[in-house]
Amino acid sequence: MKALVSLVSLSAFLLVALPGPLYKYGVVDLGTAFTGFKFGVFAGIAALILLVLQILFKRKTVTLSSTIMALLLSTIAIAIPLSMLNKGKSVPPIHDISTDLVNPPEFVAIAPLRADAPNPVEYAGVEVATQQRAAYPELQTLHYPQSKSELVEATKQVIDHLDWQLVNIDANKGIVEATDTTAWFGFKDDVVVRITDNGSKRLVDIRSKSRVGGSDLGKNAERIHGFIEELDSILAK
């Protein structure tokens, strides 16, 4: 019984932990990866049930270390997918976020890199803008007194600090493009920053869009927030 509990709890953990790297390196497709999550939850629940049965009917085989390990692995296997599910329910099912919803910054150099991506490079339009406005009303065009060249250089520093891949800089047009690759699944999300003159101030807009997936689980909005915080920190020095 002890061996069975350990095996099932370990299997549950692996069904949740491995899909990310397996998808990242092209071993499985995204649908298969998420199916692993589902079976990981089922296996985690099964492991907890088996553990309870072991404690009730096979108490002599129970050890503190094996019990803690089974609880830990099973809890992780159940908690991670459920946490992602709850996150998905708390944010709109969109994957294209911009501080300018009327005239979002356009991808230029990144556009060819997204040629085979399931999510098209074009902005989805009014429906997405309406959902974003309701979920992230704080994301709006930024205003800075620094020159365009200073903001382009600061943006480049932000991209370096955040460990994104710099794709393109057009200092004259005030356009900077980059790609952020997520650690677990290796999802590639693209970012474009647009800096324009507006009298004595500069307007800065940021757009972040996922290449795959219907919902980004709030990741693109979080990425823009992180960019703004880092940019403000650099400019304050």
Side-chain angles (χ1 to χ4, degrees):
M1 189 70 168
K2 177 181 176 181
L4 180 60
V5 172
S6 298
L7 178 61
V8 175
S9 61
L10 177 60
S11 298
F13 174 78
L14 293 177
L15 282 168
V16 171
L18 290 181
L22 291 177
Y23 171 79
K24 183 176 182 178
Y25 295 107
V27 179
V28 300
D29 59 27
L30 192 57
T32 301
F34 285 139
T35 298
F37 274 20
K38 179 174 68 175
F39 285 107
V41 172
F42 293 155
I45 294 172
L48 292 179
I49 293 173
L50 289 171
L51 180 60
V52 171
L53 294 176
Q54 181 190 10
I55 292 172
L56 291 176
F57 302 109
K58 297 285 186 178
R59 187 167 299 180
K60 291 183 179 179
T61 66
V62 176
T63 62
L64 180 60
S65 60
S66 63
T67 299
I68 291 176
M69 185 58 65
L71 282 172
L72 180 62
L73 295 177
S74 301
T75 300
I76 292 174
I78 295 170
I80 291 179
L82 292 185
S83 175
M84 294 175 66
L85 181 62
N86 289 333
K87 181 66 174 179
K89 291 180 178 179
S90 68
V91 297
I94 57 179
H95 54 261
D96 193 349
I97 305 297
S98 174
T99 55
D100 185 343
L101 298 176
V102 177
N103 181 32
E106 295 182 357
F107 294 105
V108 181
I110 279 178
L113 303 179
R114 297 181 61 100
D116 298 326
N119 295 334
V121 71
E122 295 80 14
Y123 188 67
V126 176
E127 183 178 350
V128 167
T130 300
Q131 293 184 70
Q132 180 192 316
R133 192 174 286 111
Y136 314 112
E138 75 284 358
L139 291 180
Q140 299 180 13
T141 299
L142 306 168
H143 300 74
Y144 291 100
Q146 286 84 359
S147 68
K148 182 183 289 187
S149 60
E150 288 176 314
L151 288 168
V152 167
E153 180 58 32
T155 296
K156 183 180 177 181
Q157 292 181 46
V158 171
I159 290 171
D160 183 57
H161 291 178
L162 296 177
D163 200 26
W164 299 350
Q165 180 185 357
L166 180 65
V167 176
N168 174 50
I169 294 181
D170 189 331
N172 292 328
K173 293 183 179 180
I175 296 295
V176 182
E177 298 174 90
T179 297
D180 180 22
T181 303
T182 62
W184 188 12
F185 272 80
F187 292 131
K188 291 186 178 297
D189 298 340
D190 297 309
V191 180
V192 54
V193 180
R194 182 183 64 203
I195 304 163
T196 55
D197 291 313
N198 183 36
S200 62
K201 293 186 177 181
R202 255 50 58 197
L203 305 182
V204 176
D205 284 295
I206 311 102
R207 180 182 173 197
S208 180
K209 180 166 187 171
S210 304
R211 294 190 188 182
V212 299
S215 173
D216 62 8
L217 303 183
K219 181 63 177 178
N220 286 299
E222 292 174 5
R223 182 177 293 111
I224 291 177
H225 279 298
F227 175 91
I228 294 171
E229 290 177 5
E230 188 67 23
L231 179 62
D232 288 343
S233 175
I234 289 173
L235 293 175
K237 294 179 180 178

